[in-house]
Amino acid sequence: MGFFHFDLLKKSSKSKARLGVINTPRGKIHTPAFMPVGTQATVKTMTPDEVARLGAEIILSNTYHLYLRPGMGIIRQAEGLHKFMNWQRPILTDSGGFQVFSLSSLRQITDEGVHFRSHLDGSKHFIGPEQSMEIQAALGSDIAMAFDECSPFPCSYEDALAGLERTTSWAERCLKAPHAPGQVVFGIVQGSVYPELRARSAREITGLDFPGYAIGGLSVGEPKSIMYELLEYTTPLLPENKPRYLMGVGSADCLWEGVAHGIDMFDCVLPTRVARNGTAFTWQGKVVVRNAKYAEDFSPLEPDCDCYTCKHYSRAYLRHLFNAGEILGPRLLTIHNLHFTLSVMERIRRSIKDGCFEEEKNAFLDQYSI
Ligand SMILES: CNc1nc2c(CC[C@H]3O[C@@H](OC)[C@H](OC)[C@@H]3O)c3nc(N)[nH]c(=O)c3cc2[nH]1
Ligand SMILES: [Zn+2]
């Protein structure tokens, strides 16, 4: 079965960027890593084989969504998420904390956990640390996230403090709950935009000695400058020899900046979500394929991109597919955007290895017009 451990291979001299490998029973994850989001047990429009061939070494799925649909009974009968969705590499499952606050209505937060109504049919539910860990054990993910309270932005000091205290107490209860064989739990640091609360949460969560740590409560609507300030402050409070995961981040520029601040793992719905709406990410910035200027543009999305989409199709064809509402359109753009995002991570890893991360970061940001 193997066991979970993080090898820190190299640190950048002029920034906090690090190169590492996370070893899990289901395979290695070369860090810094981007994790495609597969919220409902699928990376939308992609087969698992396509996601693997694009180079993804780990994907995300979600406790809240899968608990509500198809439900734990079916996941248990399927003998877990890997078999159910035919993805044999590592899976990280988010604990549902964020979704209960962002998706469900009529929720009531208590020290026990959260009462909420399903966003699907309004039915009443309760999820606390134990329920979240029971669901993640049934899913059988390789990395389970602790059940936390993600503070919104903005958030008062009092509310951020209350959320932080619940998050710490829930983290302790998650560690005590049963896990699937080989499954590890990552703790999540909260504290909103208040440095002293970030420091307190980091101290309390790292005091519980998790095998990895996430920085939560960011990318929730705050300006990027505030996110980077909080990263600058919080990341050094986390142990150097454990993976650091910045939840919900991000676009390519945020990936370079996050790595510069010492982050090892990222997840973001952007590359796949904007693809379905017809926006492609390229090294020069965005291409909105529906734009009339591409009607007779027979060049590929990105001149020297070696993805399947850029090797075989023109912007004119992609524009046609989206204008005609053809399902192949979102698929081809998802292939390109995942290839692009995973290629950014590959360039980041190589630049750290070659000792030129800062130069490469500045070169990327100079040409990337967001
Ligand atoms: C986007 N910004 C952002 N996402 C965030 C997520 C994941 C959202 C989760 O929702 C799904 O994507 C929509 C994904 O689920 C597979 C992801 O894990 C967070 N999850 C937890 N538990 N705690 C946080 O503090 C938190 C903060 C976030 N900020
Ligand atoms: Zn491409």
Side-chain angles (χ1 to χ4, degrees), residues 156-284:
S156 72
Y157 186 92
E158 292 68 27
D159 288 350
L161 177 55
L164 172 164
E165 288 174 336
R166 269 192 289 272
T167 293
T168 297
S169 140
W170 291 349
E172 286 178 294
R173 287 163 55 187
C174 285
L175 278 177
K176 289 188 188 118
H179 314 339
Q183 181 179 59
V184 298
V185 185
F186 276 20
I188 305 179
V189 173
Q190 293 292 343
S192 186
V193 298
Y194 305 101
E196 62 277 28
L197 294 187
R198 282 283 170 185
R200 175 168 165 181
S201 183
R203 187 171 59 250
E204 293 178 356
I205 297 295
T206 58
L208 296 171
D209 194 23
F210 286 95
Y213 296 96
I215 298 180
L218 292 180
S219 184
V220 288
E222 78 283 1
K224 280 184 186 175
S225 58
I226 291 188
M227 179 170 84
Y228 296 148
E229 264 173 52
L230 285 161
L231 275 190
E232 185 74 31
Y233 181 80
T234 309
T235 310
L237 304 176
L238 301 177
E240 195 177 61
N241 64 333
K242 302 279 180 71
R244 297 139 174 195
Y245 165 24
L246 176 55
M247 304 190 85
V249 173
S251 51
D253 53 314
C254 293
L255 298 176
W256 283 95
E257 290 292 355
V259 170
H261 285 88
I263 299 296
D264 307 301
M265 300 162 73
F266 301 87
D267 90 273
C268 187
V269 294
L270 263 186
T272 41
R273 180 174 292 171
V274 302
R276 296 195 298 280
N277 303 328
T279 296
F281 289 149
T282 76
W283 292 96
Q284 283 72 40

Side-chain angles (χ1 to χ4, degrees), residues 90-207:
I91 296 176
L92 181 149
T93 45
D94 194 11
S95 53
F98 184 88
Q99 271 69 35
V100 167
F101 297 104
S102 63
L103 282 181
S104 66
S105 56
L106 295 175
R107 64 186 169 277
Q108 189 208 352
I109 306 168
T110 69
D111 288 347
E112 279 318 292
V114 189
H115 300 270
F116 64 94
R117 283 186 180 277
S118 159
H119 70 291
L120 299 175
D121 61 11
S123 55
K124 281 187 166 180
H125 298 270
F126 171 80
I127 292 187
E130 291 77 15
Q131 289 71 26
S132 176
M133 294 308 294
E134 185 187 0
I135 297 165
Q136 295 184 81
L139 293 168
S141 53
D142 303 273
I143 301 173
M145 298 310 294
F147 187 69
D148 64 326
E149 180 174 327
C150 172
S151 297
F153 177 82
C155 176
S156 72
Y157 186 92
E158 292 68 27
D159 288 350
L161 177 55
L164 172 164
E165 288 174 336
R166 269 192 289 272
T167 293
T168 297
S169 140
W170 291 349
E172 286 178 294
R173 287 163 55 187
C174 285
L175 278 177
K176 289 188 188 118
H179 314 339
Q183 181 179 59
V184 298
V185 185
F186 276 20
I188 305 179
V189 173
Q190 293 292 343
S192 186
V193 298
Y194 305 101
E196 62 277 28
L197 294 187
R198 282 283 170 185
R200 175 168 165 181
S201 183
R203 187 171 59 250
E204 293 178 356
I205 297 295
T206 58

Side-chain angles (χ1 to χ4, degrees), residues 37-40 42-47 272 276 330-331 334 338:
V37 170
T39 300
Q40 301 189 109
T42 158
V43 177
K44 290 181 171 45
T45 78
M46 293 286 98
T47 66
T272 41
R276 296 195 298 280
R331 269 182 49 74
T334 299
L338 281 179

